[in-house]
Amino acid sequence: MALHLLKLCVGPSSIEELEARISHNRAEALRLGSDPATVHVTRMFPKRAKDIAGRGSIYWVMKGTLICRQPIRAIEPVTGQDGIERCRLVLDPAVTPVSPRPCRPFQGWRYLEAGDAPADLDRASAGEVADMPESLRRELASLGLI
């Protein structure tokens, strides 16, 4: 079974903003001739990285709601310019909306077992919910209605 990471998304407050950031970062990397991979760098390296890389996803919490995910392609150690070891998560650039779920704030990241992960939100499985604006889905989830 895959293991996932749960993390607060700092900056973007919607899926559209996250996708715009990913596009901007990719275009900027290509313009500068550097690696255009979608990455997220975090301080700690997951001890269970072998259970995550290539099989799991990072689930993003925005504005108190677990709202979307990105598959994790690889987990690599990296040293910052300050000499501190960090963890580089290489992510798939595609952002997949999931069934929204309220989530309290926390620091760092948390493991998310596959059985506890919310289902992807697509027309086949979610019907009309997939067509709702993200803000409405978020509000209904906070009220416990979806």
Side-chain angles (χ1 to χ4, degrees):
M1 272 205 156
L3 183 65
H4 308 289
L5 293 179
L6 181 64
K7 184 132 176 58
L8 297 180
C9 188
V10 178
S13 59
S14 69
I15 294 172
E16 291 79 18
E17 287 180 19
L18 177 61
E19 290 172 331
R21 178 182 275 187
I22 291 167
S23 293
H24 172 77
N25 289 346
R26 181 175 178 77
E28 188 66 13
L30 290 171
R31 186 182 72 78
L32 296 172
S34 58
D35 182 7
T38 302
V39 299
H40 177 74
V41 178
T42 186
R43 176 74 171 96
M44 303 302 292
F45 197 92
K47 291 182 175 147
R48 299 173 65 185
K50 290 180 183 172
D51 297 328
I52 301 168
R55 297 192 282 174
S57 293
I58 187 165
Y59 282 77
W60 293 111
V61 176
M62 296 179 194
K63 295 174 105 178
T65 305
L66 193 163
I67 197 106
C68 63
R69 71 177 182 87
Q70 286 180 271
I72 300 173
R73 292 180 175 172
I75 300 176
E76 306 165 341
V78 65
T79 304
Q81 293 178 346
D82 55 7
I84 296 175
E85 288 289 318
R86 292 188 170 80
C87 175
R88 180 178 188 249
L89 304 173
V90 181
L91 307 174
D92 190 298
V95 178
T96 304
V98 298
S99 293
R101 179 188 303 170
C103 187
R104 292 180 175 227
F106 56 90
Q107 289 187 333
W109 46 260
R110 302 285 181 264
Y111 290 116
L112 180 63
E113 298 290 337
D116 296 330
D120 288 353
L121 198 59
D122 60 9
R123 287 224 12 82
S125 64
E128 294 174 354
V129 175
D131 292 334
M132 290 179 187
E134 180 184 334
S135 59
L136 180 58
R137 286 194 310 256
R138 193 185 306 257
E139 181 68 24
L140 291 173
S142 72
L143 295 171
L145 298 174
I146 60 172

